Amino acid sequence: MPPKKASSGPIVIISGPVYSDGDPSHRPDPSKEKRAWEDGYLQVLGETWMRDEGGAQAGKTYKLDRLPAGYEAWERPRPSNPKHVDRWLYGHPSHKKFDSPNRFVPHFKYLMKYASVLGLLLRVRYQLRDVTHDRRP
């Protein structure tokens, strides 16, 4: 199958996950790496999400409005070949770094589908528990 050509049609911006497990303390040494341009991550995640959820339309390009909170892309030249730039996505709570948007897709899907509902349910549960606890003698 030939590689997918970039669409020349409209770019549709979609909202990222409401809930995030991103850890803003998980970052590389800024003296060795610098912030990367996140556009590649935003487009791969947007395109994959819309295609897998059945919402993609021919002729349109999909892109996220932002990465999940707490996640950032960083880059540095490869030591063995400084002309090649390696990029990673940091922020996972286990301090695992992702070396490509495609490797982040499964976790991103989890955040989009389940984590926001789980986070909401946990917040409601703890709020209800606090209310009922306050009313007990």
Side-chain angles (χ1 to χ4, degrees):
M1 183 180 345
K4 181 182 172 187
K5 292 183 179 181
S7 170
S8 59
I11 296 175
V12 179
I13 306 297
I14 60 173
S15 295
V18 174
Y19 170 82
S20 178
D21 61 358
D23 178 0
S25 72
H26 177 225
R27 298 292 181 263
D29 180 348
S31 68
K32 296 179 181 174
E33 296 185 33
K34 67 178 186 172
R35 286 289 307 274
W37 189 49
E38 297 173 342
D39 204 55
Y41 277 89
L42 298 175
Q43 186 164 343
V44 168
L45 295 172
E47 290 282 340
T48 303
W49 175 252
M50 291 301 289
R51 182 191 68 234
D52 291 356
E53 291 300 305
Q57 297 175 2
K60 292 184 178 178
T61 300
Y62 297 92
K63 189 172 155 182
L64 284 184
D65 61 346
R66 62 186 156 43
L67 288 172
Y71 286 88
E72 287 181 353
W74 289 71
E75 66 184 27
R76 73 169 181 216
R78 183 174 289 179
S80 62
N81 179 7
K83 290 183 179 181
H84 182 85
V85 176
D86 290 316
R87 292 176 182 86
W88 295 277
L89 187 66
Y90 287 84
H92 193 272
S94 73
H95 288 200
K96 170 187 177 179
K97 61 184 180 182
F98 296 93
D99 63 357
S100 78
N102 290 330
R103 291 192 200 274
F104 183 62
V105 164
H107 189 66
F108 173 75
K109 285 177 161 184
Y110 163 78
L111 292 173
M112 289 293 278
K113 282 187 166 184
Y114 306 110
S116 57
V117 172
L118 178 61
L120 177 63
L121 290 174
L122 287 173
R123 282 195 301 272
V124 168
R125 178 176 175 242
Y126 285 114
Q127 287 172 351
L128 289 175
R129 189 189 78 190
D130 290 344
V131 168
T132 56
H133 178 62
D134 291 342
R135 292 183 181 201
R136 290 184 184 163

